[in-house]
Amino acid sequence: MTEKEIFEILKEKFGDSIIEFVEAQAGENYIKVSPLEIDKVCAFLFTDDRLQFDSLINLSGVDDANGEKKVNEDGSFDFIGGTLSVVYHIESLKHLHKLTLAVSVEKDKPDVVSVTDIWAHANWHEREAFDLLGINFLNHPDLRRILMPYDWEGGFPLRKDYKDPEFYRGMKVPY
Amino acid sequence: MIYEFLSNITGSEILGAIISAFLPLFLFILPFALIAVLLERKVSAHMQDRLGPMRVGYHGILQTVADILKLIQKEDITADANDKTLFNLAPILVFAGSYAVFAAIPFSSSYLGSNINLGLFFIIGISGIVVAGILMAGWASNNKYTLLGAMRSAAQLISYEIPTIMIVVTILMVTGTLNLKEITELQSGYFWNWLIFGGNVTGIAKYLLIPFMIVGFVIIYISTLAEVNRTPFDIPEAESELVSGYHTEYSGMKFAMFFLAEYANMFAVSAIVVLLFFGGYHSPFGYLGNTFGITWLIPIEQLLWFTFKGVGFVLVQMWLRWTLPRLRVDQLMAVCWKYLIPIAFVNLLIVGLITLL
Amino acid sequence: MVLKTEEMTLNMGPQHPSTHGVLRLELQLDGEFIVNVIPHIGYLHRCFEKHAEFMTYPQVVPYTDRMDYLASMYNEFGYAVAVEKLLGIEVPERVEFIRVIMGELQRIASHLVALGTYGADIGAVTPFLFCFRDREKILSLFEMASGARLLYNYIWVGGVSRDLPPDFLRLAKEFVDYFRPKIKELNDLLSFNKIFIERTANIGILPLDVAVNYGITGPMLRASGMKWDLRKDDPYSVYNKFDFDIPVGDGRMGTVGDSWDRYYVRIIEMEESLKIVEQALNQIPEGDVLSAIPKRIKPPVGQVYGRVENPRGELGYFIVSDGTVNPKRIKVRPPSFVNLAVIGELCKGHMIADVISVLGSIDIVLGEIDR
């Protein structure tokens, strides 16, 4: 099935939760979904007979950096507002079709429902998105940091306006 | 013979006895342990398509001397939370247990440390001290890993004593004596008189005994391999799981004692197998001394034959170590209790029946 | 009276002879049996993804080498495939053949390390040295082509950095003839050894549905019974020109999906890679390898996900571009990261010695997990 057909089926079933189908000139096309309904959409994609997306290939967070850029005195900058995205690549090993979904949340309240119940693969990827970008996954069984130390207080390193903290447990951080 | 010689020189029997018991230790076993370390490195290297130590001395001969010098001058680390008495006592027990065995082993017809009537019994009893030493080492190191290693080792050593003893009893039934000197004398003559080929028994019983003797030899070789903690039974010192097991926390001279004790132990069990099955120090075909009429050459030749056979079995042990992977703890126990002990027991019964003939 | 027992927590700490890198495994034990295994990672995190946002697209290539340092050619290959998909450029055929030859030789080298260290963990030290002796020959081939033994910086976006030296094809053919009997030697020494089979068969059984749900790929998935290989099912480069087979685990020594199957699938994969290398060496065309390398890489706005079949599984690069010379976001989907998550399920009910066996059969590289 092509991506357009899948988009039609989803739009019919879920209506408003499916926001739009973005066709890109370069790279891949993707479907934008609402962040609090993503688990229902994914459960449908997993169980439906025509679709049967039984494998999650990749789940990654992206900092869109589209807020208002405020430059401080010392040359560093902050992004006020803006959005974070989570991109899901899923695939069906039976029907051999692929799909890309994208979810967009505000930086002040980055809540996305977790899909760990559907694909156990998402567990560690969501922990990494939480650790490095600060996206909060609701209903995740074990949401804590994975690559940074467990008691890192300095923020979320992969955001565009991240600055290193001065000290970590008494050690000076900037090299 | 040497015992009388020494007691004549020193004029007192006790001094003569002490010196004659110590002599093999310093003249033979300690140098052998040092050479065995180097031998293992070179043998394993050539089996693995590489060269081994090459720089110290000609082709690396002096490597062990360098190693011992290094170990002597290392700092003796004792962690704070260790139990000091047990920690210091453990290597001594292991070392003593391994080396005391040699007092009862005849190296040649004129040299025997002490002619005990219960030679075999003494050997098996003394090697029990090693178990106590290992348990002490594991506990006193205050480390979860070493404790696991020590417990596994103790279980392994105690279980594998049983097939060993059963085979010893089998030999006892055929020869009728526990005295090691007499067992060796029974096997004098050509190699056809060796116990693995039926021994001194006459008649049809000799041919009937041969397959059961071979089975007995295989069983005792395997179970003594487990006694000395060599691969495939080296779970207690499994490097990749327990980071060197019960001797992880030792450094310097104490570590050297564990190390040398292991190689001496290897030679001890090879010596026992040779004595029981392969004719001890007798040569398979005549002596040069006899053909030339020089009688004092014979004990020296016997010593050489004994060393040759013992080192041959040590080389087979090294060969097995570098070829086979390691058994897991429960599989190790299964091999002992489910396979070796029933086979040894049946062997015992059948040999007993045959000797009645 | 019921005796109270406690569960013991044992740390196979970051420094350990056989955890293949700095990985901390927290084992919760009931005597000698495992109740749970929790991996703790992050000790080798070198912030590759953050670095990539400040560099231009060609400058990222040496950094991709250092993620999975045992299969560097494939990391570069994956990155090149992803960026070329975004740019929409075609590379010359000679470049594709060179990439395939390097990739498959790299697959053999990586599997030799995996198998050798697996044998060494189980206790058989000799096959480890035999595997490394053969791997040295492959590394000297790579040194001839790219100048480095382990981290190459050879496969660039749009081509390769320099052409093959004149003697390369002849020496590579000699290597193929030399290596074929060595696989048989390795089989005789280790694969069918009774003690090795006792240690690895029926240990760490991974059922197929669990594997697909956890996103497992590579030899682990094939050992559980599924014939899924990106070189055939989602072909990239010129793999559709070669004739090779995909080995699948069949549980002949125990059950389907145990550690022995994972080990044996890798051995058969080495044989198949030799076939591919031989065919590629015979069919390689002449041409120019530097012609398609763009002077300045400035892809249009968009995102792409490109994937290749690493020796350990599916390596994917998710690249988001915002129209400038620096990538906006590069996310790497490492196969070992995904494969390691399932270790808790695999080790339940086994003993401590089996954790080592299972970990060795998963074949992880910490550089890739932590990036």
Side-chain angles (χ1 to χ4, degrees), chain B residues 43-51 322, chain C residues 125-127 129-130 133:
Chain B
V43 161
S44 72
H46 282 277
M47 278 202 272
Q48 291 163 358
D49 208 7
R50 55 187 178 97
L51 288 174
W322 295 105
Chain C
V125 186
T126 310
L129 284 155
F130 287 169
R133 172 198 62 190

Side-chain angles (χ1 to χ4, degrees), chain B residues 98-231:
Chain B
S98 309
Y99 279 75
V101 167
F102 288 102
I105 294 189
F107 283 77
S108 77
S109 59
S110 66
Y111 180 71
L112 175 59
S114 78
N115 199 354
I116 319 179
N117 256 336
L118 292 173
L120 270 181
F121 198 56
F122 166 75
I123 289 179
I124 295 184
I126 280 282
S127 23
I129 291 190
V130 178
V131 181
I134 292 180
L135 272 176
M136 279 194 213
W139 172 255
S141 298
N142 193 31
N143 185 343
K144 274 181 207 164
Y145 282 120
T146 55
L147 186 59
L148 271 177
M151 306 257 240
R152 286 173 172 180
S153 177
Q156 176 183 325
L157 287 178
I158 295 179
S159 316
Y160 277 89
E161 300 242 339
I162 301 183
T164 317
I165 295 181
M166 283 202 199
I167 302 297
V168 164
V169 171
T170 314
I171 296 286
L172 178 59
M173 282 200 289
V174 173
T175 61
T177 165
L178 275 175
N179 190 337
L180 278 171
K181 186 99 192 263
E182 282 180 29
I183 294 184
T184 340
E185 287 305 323
L186 271 180
Q187 303 178 56
S188 61
Y190 294 102
F191 68 91
W192 196 238
N193 272 343
W194 286 356
L195 271 175
I196 195 167
F197 296 118
N200 235 347
V201 184
T202 49
I204 190 87
K206 185 179 167 78
Y207 296 98
L208 281 178
L209 268 183
I210 293 186
F212 301 104
M213 281 292 156
I214 296 186
V215 168
F217 160 64
V218 170
I219 293 180
I220 200 175
Y221 196 63
I222 297 178
S223 46
T224 49
L225 205 62
E227 292 270 327
V228 294
N229 288 335
R230 294 285 288 184
T231 316

Side-chain angles (χ1 to χ4, degrees), chain B residues 268-281:
Chain B
V269 298
S270 302
I272 293 177
V273 168
V274 165
L275 279 174
L276 290 182
F277 285 96
F278 280 91
Y281 48 74

Side-chain angles (χ1 to χ4, degrees), chain B residues 162-163 166 215 219 333-350:
Chain B
I162 301 183
M166 283 202 199
V215 168
I219 293 180
M333 289 295 147
V335 164
C336 175
W337 293 90
K338 287 197 216 166
Y339 297 109
L340 288 186
I341 291 188
I343 299 181
F345 195 61
V346 167
N347 203 18
L348 181 66
L349 288 177
I350 298 184

Side-chain angles (χ1 to χ4, degrees), chain C residues 203-216:
Chain C
I203 306 283
I205 300 174
L206 182 64
L208 187 56
D209 47 352
V210 172
V212 170
N213 205 359
Y214 267 88
I216 311 276

Side-chain angles (χ1 to χ4, degrees), chain A residues 2-18:
Chain A
T2 66
E3 294 162 347
K4 205 72 176 140
E5 289 171 16
I6 303 178
F7 174 66
E8 296 301 324
I9 298 178
L10 287 176
K11 190 81 182 165
E12 216 181 290
K13 180 141 170 87
F14 287 100
D16 278 335
S17 309
I18 313 290

Side-chain angles (χ1 to χ4, degrees), chain B residues 44 47-50 144-145 148 152 231-232 235 239-243 321-331, chain C residues 9-12 16-18 32 121-126 129-130 133 193 195-196 198-199 203 351-354 356:
Chain B
S44 72
M47 278 202 272
Q48 291 163 358
D49 208 7
R50 55 187 178 97
K144 274 181 207 164
Y145 282 120
L148 271 177
R152 286 173 172 180
T231 316
I235 281 284
E239 214 183 67
S240 46
E241 286 161 30
L242 297 174
V243 204
R321 174 183 186 178
W322 295 105
T323 314
L324 295 175
R326 197 177 289 136
L327 281 176
R328 209 175 56 201
V329 156
D330 62 327
Q331 291 163 348
Chain C
T9 304
L10 189 62
N11 248 333
M12 286 187 132
H16 192 92
S18 68
E32 182 104 9
D121 288 342
I122 302 284
V125 186
T126 310
L129 284 155
F130 287 169
R133 172 198 62 190
N193 184 327
I195 300 183
F196 184 72
E198 291 277 316
R199 283 298 297 270
I203 306 283
M351 295 195 269
I352 300 183
D354 297 326
I356 305 285

